[in-house]
Amino acid sequence: MSSLEAENKKSSGVRVHKKRLGVLIGGSGLIGGTLAHYFKTKTAEDIDIRAPSSKKLSIRNADDIITYLTWVRPDFVINSAVAALDSDVQLALEVNYFGGVNLARACSALGIPYIYISSAATLPNGENLSEEDHLPLSPSLTHYAKSKLMSESTLRHMGKHQGLDFTIIRLAIVYGEHDHKIQGFHRLFFSLADESMPFMITKKGVQHSYTNSNKIPYFVHHVLDHREEFSQETYHFVDKDPVEMADLILSIRSYLELKRPRELYIPYPVIRSGKFFLEWMASILNWFGISVRLPPELIFLENFYKSQTLSNRKLLNSSFVDPFPDETIYTVLPKLVVYYLERWGHLNLITTFNEEFLGTFEFEDDFVNTPRNILNLIHADSISPFPEMIDLKKTPVNTGR
Ligand SMILES: NC(=O)c1ccc[n+]([C@@H]2O[C@H](COP(=O)([O-])OP(=O)(O)OC[C@H]3O[C@@H](n4cnc5c(N)ncnc54)[C@H](OP(=O)(O)O)[C@@H]3O)[C@@H](O)[C@H]2O)c1
């Protein structure tokens, strides 16, 4: 087909692209960022991805979803958006539940697959939990767990009654680079690096499942390529073996060559009282106009004392092949340590490791003491237009879709 024919078909509303086009919601987050990076760098021949920010497309607004997806006409949608763990009822419900359901309704209308990233928060504590397991929907659940559980339930309902082509991917505790909000596992890691955990806040023998964020895109890609096998199914996407929390904490401690936390295990009732005390203190300080925000992960405190391991038998029996079978949280730890200590050092969140990980920055002295030197240097030889881009002015702009 000539480019003119293609252009004519395009203007008459007929789809001409051969590549699949996906829309990724939540592309600035820990999981979404990893997915966006994968699809932009590894699938250029096969898949294109649009990852609108929440400013461009807020899934709280059903009209925005309809307008955006009508304009883009994707071949699939991946939803990895989530409201902050400590958001209020309205945000949790509108982003985590209504937003996800409205995306599913759009996918149902377009007849395209909907990949939904879910969480082990939908599961009770216990060992070797299967994909069929889930918590009962009860008022006492956190907003997060409730909204994820309701989302899963509605997708299955839509699958059964409307034939929605969905896959639910349940993640456990996720580790990986690019967590810009310091959540979940990285919050634990941060409190160790920051030496703000004096004693062990767990119990010996407590185990959890972990998810390697680097592997998620490979699975999502595979799931998209094998709809017959994965459609209307739920999968646990977790590392092969669960990890003992105490062992992980002590491994990180020894990696960072720290003395804290001391190997003294604080019982849960003591920690729980401490949590109530902190919440009380925060509310008192609020009376004086001092706003104190406790880490939202406190909602998971009980999980530090109870095992939750997810069975990965269904995943292992599927056609998916782990691209990095030897990679676990322990093997990735050295890379994570370098990445996060550098990042937190630059952000002035911790200073203990700055010398080791940041080294000296050649412009530091000038910027602090004689900024004009830098200004002069830049004006002297670093402001001419990039030569490799100059000719672009003469070529037409590719508007894309
Ligand atoms: N991280 C974990 O340990 C973990 C564990 C289990 C399951 N999960 C699941 O993994 C998924 C992704 O989590 P994450 O850790 O990557 O979260 P995250 O880093 O907090 O990112 C959340 C993403 O959601 C987007 N978002 C929030 N409100 C939105 C709205 N109204 N419209 C559109 N996008 C919106 C955010 O975009 P903006 O930045 O533009 O607001 C951001 O890109 C979630 O479903 C979560 O339940 C995560």
Side-chain angles (χ1 to χ4, degrees), residues 151-205:
S151 301
E152 286 194 359
S153 171
T154 301
L155 291 187
R156 289 193 196 98
H157 184 80
M158 289 174 73
K160 197 164 158 197
H161 296 283
Q162 293 170 18
L164 173 72
D165 178 9
F166 71 89
T167 303
I168 296 170
I169 302 177
R170 272 191 198 148
L171 311 179
I173 303 170
V174 179
Y175 60 92
E177 292 166 11
H178 308 292
D179 182 356
H180 295 177
K181 294 184 188 154
I182 319 183
Q183 304 180 111
F185 165 71
H186 307 107
R187 165 71 62 183
L188 172 78
F189 181 23
F190 180 82
S191 51
L192 294 172
D194 191 37
E195 297 185 77
S196 53
M197 190 192 286
F199 305 108
M200 299 290 280
I201 302 179
T202 183
K203 202 167 72 177
K204 275 188 181 159

Side-chain angles (χ1 to χ4, degrees), residues 26 28-31 54 58-59 80-82 117 144 148 172 181 183:
S28 66
L30 167 64
I31 309 318
S54 62
S58 171
I59 58 168
S80 77
V82 69
I117 306 294
Y144 176 62
K148 298 300 276 187
K181 294 184 188 154
Q183 304 180 111

